[in-house]
Amino acid sequence: MMLSIASSITDYMKSEGFLLLLQANGISKHYGVTPVLEGITLLINERDRIGLVGVNGAGKSTLLKVLAGELRADHGSISKAKDVRIGYLAQNGGLQGHRTLMEEMTSAFGPLLEQEASLREMEARIADPAELENTARYESLLSQYADASEKFREAGGYEMGNRTRSVLHGMGFGDFAPDTEVASLSGGQRTRLALARLLLVQPDLLLLDEPTNHLDIDTLSWLEQYLRSYNGAMVIVSHDRYFLDATVTSIIEIERNAATRYTGNYSRYMELKAASFAQQMKLYESQRKEIARMEDFIQRNIARATTTRRAQSRRNALERIERLEKPGALRQASFSFTTERRSGKEVLRVVNASAAPKPDMAPLFRNVSFEVRRGERLALLGPNGVGKTTLLRALIDKLPLRSGAVEWGAGVSIGYYDQEQRELNPNNTVLEELWSEFPMQPEAEIRTVLGNFLFSGEDVKKKVSSLSGGEKARVALSKLMLRKANVMIMDEPTNHLDLMSREVLEAALDEYDGTLFFVSHDRYFLNRIADRIVELNADGVRHFLGNYDEMVTKKQDLLEWEAEQATQVASSASSSVAQQPANDYEAEKQLKREERAKQRKREQAEADIAKLEEQLEALELEMASPELVTDYMKLREKQAEVERTRAALDENYAIWEALMEE
């Protein structure tokens, strides 16, 4: 329902049980003479989960900046609910400054920290015998404390410590020292920390521009769980289809400067869009046939005296018809990967490999062994920093191994896709970049290839240095296509690509008859392309047949099996004397038992912390109750109990942190 006045819309939404947080009316934005957004109108209600999608350059980030107040629209208006708090994370918008990691996170609780300091001050006064000398003043102090304590509780003050630790661990900072300076972090880490801080602030409306950049799969999974239970609304720009499926309930697509809203997650949006396109095409074809029939009738009857009036009537009706435009999909890249010759059956063998990205660094991994056979689609997974890119570069002899061996099979020709695009010469034009590597190809053929990758006309004369990330990715993919390698090694091939380009790349790789070995955090891509997964860690690899979802299922099954085995071991141990493991197999089982014991200790520490925090909150609420207002002795006893509980809580936090470091 569209109403002309913002207040009327707000009243309507309230009557329907919704609270309207933000309304954008007729937003238009131009860069120079180029239109980016034209007449965009949207409503954001509380608890809305909106995914903002579109091709690169469609205006998604621009719209997000306008909604956040970071950019002024040329036309249109933004209306916000009173006191609505908006949190905005720019793409690659990392924190700056000289604060430590913990100082930066704690600063998110600014008003709560002031309330906490005020409560501590009042508690000290309550415990001071001198305050008892003035009964009226003491009762007033107790009343103030009760009100302040209740406000502090409602605002989540008693949960600050737990929330901070939980978010830091979830966002991959669990092993970082609290005094780590933000300035010492990488750009990607600062962006992750900015997102972590924003989650702690808990604004009413989250505006997130590519929040999944720089996140490994474990962190992505944690963030999905966190956002699913988030109480506020959110608008997310993302090219991660798996992430959108898990977090959003509606999609707004920006296409040709306009916005269209679809109900459902990304997969549902794709179904609805396809159905809408089919319906539009059906209406267009139906109208085209009807117009053809009318024109034929007019042509056959306009000159005949007996039918001329009918023909003239049809002509008038034809002139009044509002003709539908033919539905057209946006132009997209079109390419395929082929091979010049077939490789041998045994493509690659890696034996006990270890490597480091720099000569002065310790190896990131060791004892890595695996084999690749012709036609396999092998994915390399692992957390950030474990050395996935280092391993790929070692395979193509860009880095030396510290130990072990790499053995390539017979007839192998290798094509490498570098996520950093280090293989591109920034001083070349797009045309020169391809032609310099394939000088025997006719210019017309090179231009045809570039046209398939959306570089046409004057685009081929652009310098590589001036290209966007998505454009550089398309240049690199065009070179890879021309190489016709029978083995392709790809490092994060979907990075920088918009959703449409990712779909095209997947379709091309589906048809590729060579061998594929790739690194990716794109779980949608992994599910469609991978048929085997090698999971890299510091001490070696684990192997899983199947795609990403199948790996997750197998891991869960393994955890359940280990828990069952642990139960059986514990039952057996209670009736027999523990013995020293007799062989390597028993020693490994012992190590697993010790790790499970540590995990149980960690879980117990977390349970103790939760219990003590509940006790502390109950004590502070009890001190604020009217029944204790005049019972001064009881109040002193409760204050002493509060201090003992707080000390026990600090001790348990220390135990928990020590266990997490093991």
Side-chain angles (χ1 to χ4, degrees), residues 625-639:
S625 66
E627 292 81 4
L628 292 184
V629 169
T630 56
D631 195 340
Y632 309 133
M633 297 304 295
K634 190 70 173 176
L635 275 172
R636 286 188 186 179
E637 291 175 10
K638 291 295 179 184
Q639 179 59 33

Side-chain angles (χ1 to χ4, degrees), residues 194-469:
L195 176 56
R197 188 184 183 281
L198 194 58
L199 296 178
L200 284 182
V201 173
Q202 291 191 318
D204 304 304
L205 172 59
L206 276 172
L207 303 175
L208 305 177
D209 196 354
E210 293 288 0
T212 61
N213 285 355
H214 315 294
L215 303 185
D216 57 30
I217 288 178
D218 287 343
T219 309
L220 275 171
S221 298
W222 178 89
L223 181 59
E224 286 168 0
Q225 294 292 337
Y226 189 96
L227 292 179
R228 270 200 288 263
S229 60
Y230 191 74
N231 287 325
M234 61 188 75
V235 180
I236 302 172
V237 172
S238 180
H239 292 150
D240 189 323
R241 295 156 292 178
Y242 201 101
F243 181 78
L244 290 173
D245 270 350
T247 55
V248 306
T249 55
S250 63
I251 295 285
I252 292 178
E253 179 190 49
I254 300 182
E255 186 173 281
R256 296 185 176 92
N257 315 128
T260 305
R261 189 162 184 159
Y262 299 83
T263 299
N265 61 13
Y266 176 80
S267 294
R268 180 59 177 158
Y269 144 74
M270 291 294 287
E271 294 171 4
L272 292 172
K273 184 178 180 183
S276 175
F277 181 83
Q279 179 65 17
Q280 289 174 37
M281 184 60 75
K282 185 176 179 181
L283 290 172
Y284 169 78
E285 292 292 348
S286 176
Q287 187 189 66
R288 194 166 66 91
K289 289 177 182 177
E290 179 62 23
I291 289 172
R293 280 196 298 269
M294 293 173 72
E295 288 175 339
D296 180 62
F297 179 88
I298 293 166
Q299 186 175 3
R300 284 187 294 104
N301 293 279
I302 193 69
R304 296 171 61 185
T306 56
T307 58
T308 186
R309 291 185 62 186
R310 290 171 59 197
Q312 186 63 48
S313 176
R314 291 283 181 94
R315 177 181 284 174
N316 293 338
L318 184 61
E319 290 173 353
R320 290 195 298 270
I321 289 177
E322 185 176 341
R323 304 202 179 202
L324 300 173
E325 289 187 15
K326 183 178 181 180
L330 290 174
R331 183 168 172 249
Q332 61 187 40
S334 174
F335 58 92
S336 61
F337 296 109
T338 58
T339 59
E340 259 185 344
R341 65 177 188 270
R342 198 180 191 196
S343 72
K345 185 181 261 188
E346 307 295 331
V347 170
L348 173 64
R349 186 166 176 258
V350 179
V351 182
N352 293 327
S354 68
K358 295 180 181 178
D360 58 344
M361 289 180 63
L364 297 178
F365 56 82
R366 61 186 77 245
N367 304 323
V368 169
S369 298
F370 60 91
E371 295 180 354
V372 183
R373 292 177 174 270
R374 184 180 62 225
E376 281 195 302
R377 287 131 181 256
L378 193 63
L380 181 66
L381 302 189
N384 286 343
V386 77
K388 300 184 295 296
T389 296
T390 298
L391 176 56
L392 293 193
R393 290 177 64 78
L395 294 182
I396 61 171
D397 209 22
K398 294 286 185 180
L399 286 173
L401 288 177
R402 293 291 178 85
S403 63
V406 172
E407 301 169 6
W408 286 101
V412 166
S413 60
I414 301 171
Y416 177 61
Y417 178 91
D418 180 8
Q419 66 164 317
E420 301 295 334
Q421 314 299 356
R422 284 169 288 207
E423 306 295 313
L424 302 182
N425 184 340
N427 298 316
N428 279 342
T429 65
V430 173
L431 181 61
E432 290 168 346
E433 182 62 27
L434 266 68
W435 216 352
S436 63
E437 190 152 343
F438 303 97
M440 303 306 292
Q441 299 279 3
E443 180 181 350
E445 188 172 328
I446 294 287
R447 284 181 175 271
T448 298
V449 169
L450 287 172
N452 289 339
F453 284 87
L454 306 183
F455 293 104
S456 58
E458 294 299 307
D459 291 341
V460 301
K461 297 179 182 179
K462 288 181 179 178
K463 288 280 189 182
V464 169
S465 58
S466 70
L467 300 180
S468 67

Side-chain angles (χ1 to χ4, degrees), residues 461-597:
K461 297 179 182 179
K462 288 181 179 178
K463 288 280 189 182
V464 169
S465 58
S466 70
L467 300 180
S468 67
E471 289 171 327
K472 287 179 181 176
R474 296 204 306 272
V475 172
L477 287 171
S478 67
K479 292 175 69 175
L480 192 61
M481 188 191 85
L482 284 169
R483 195 159 285 121
K484 298 182 179 179
N486 55 34
V487 176
M488 290 200 298
I489 298 178
M490 308 182 82
D491 192 3
E492 296 287 2
T494 60
N495 275 9
H496 308 298
L497 297 181
D498 57 38
L499 295 171
M500 186 183 294
S501 298
R502 292 182 186 208
E503 299 276 355
V504 173
L505 174 61
E506 287 166 359
L509 292 175
D510 260 345
E511 299 298 321
Y512 177 58
D513 62 358
T515 305
L516 186 61
F517 185 39
F518 65 95
V519 170
S520 181
H521 290 147
D522 186 334
R523 293 158 294 171
Y524 201 101
F525 182 80
L526 287 165
N527 275 339
R528 183 167 175 182
I529 300 300
D531 54 30
R532 186 155 68 91
I533 290 175
V534 172
E535 187 177 50
L536 180 66
N537 58 65
D539 298 314
V541 293
R542 298 171 72 191
H543 300 267
F544 299 91
L545 282 175
N547 61 18
Y548 173 77
D549 281 347
E550 289 167 331
M551 180 192 74
V552 170
T553 300
K554 287 170 185 174
K555 279 187 169 184
Q556 186 60 40
D557 291 343
L558 184 60
L559 284 173
E560 291 173 1
W561 180 84
E562 287 178 346
E564 185 179 328
Q565 294 300 305
T567 302
Q568 293 176 4
V569 168
S571 175
S572 174
S574 64
S575 59
S576 62
V577 179
Q579 297 180 353
Q580 184 71 20
N583 50 45
D584 290 344
Y585 175 72
E586 289 298 327
E588 186 177 350
K589 286 178 64 177
Q590 178 65 25
L591 286 173
K592 287 182 178 179
R593 285 196 291 271
E594 290 174 359
E595 179 56 36
R596 287 193 291 269

Side-chain angles (χ1 to χ4, degrees), residues 88 125 158 189 291 376 429 497 542 612 646 661:
Y88 169 60
R125 289 176 59 194
Y158 296 110
Q189 289 170 332
I291 289 172
E376 281 195 302
T429 65
L497 297 181
R542 298 171 72 191
L612 286 166
R646 200 170 278 136
E661 291 172 0

Side-chain angles (χ1 to χ4, degrees), residues 12-81:
Y12 168 75
M13 299 306 293
K14 284 181 178 178
S15 70
E16 293 296 312
F18 299 105
L19 174 62
L20 181 64
L21 297 182
L22 184 145
Q23 177 186 356
N25 279 316
I27 299 299
S28 297
K29 182 66 182 176
H30 293 66
Y31 289 123
V33 296
T34 305
V36 179
L37 304 172
E38 288 286 357
I40 303 291
T41 294
L42 62 89
L43 305 176
I44 303 173
N45 305 313
E46 61 176 350
R47 298 288 297 171
D48 264 356
R49 273 103 167 88
I50 299 170
L52 195 58
V53 303
V55 298
N56 287 341
K60 304 183 296 295
S61 295
T62 298
L63 179 57
L64 221 57
K65 287 177 183 177
V66 171
L67 297 180
E70 299 282 323
L71 188 65
R72 184 184 294 274
D74 297 332
H75 303 286
S77 63
I78 301 289
S79 304
K80 294 182 288 187

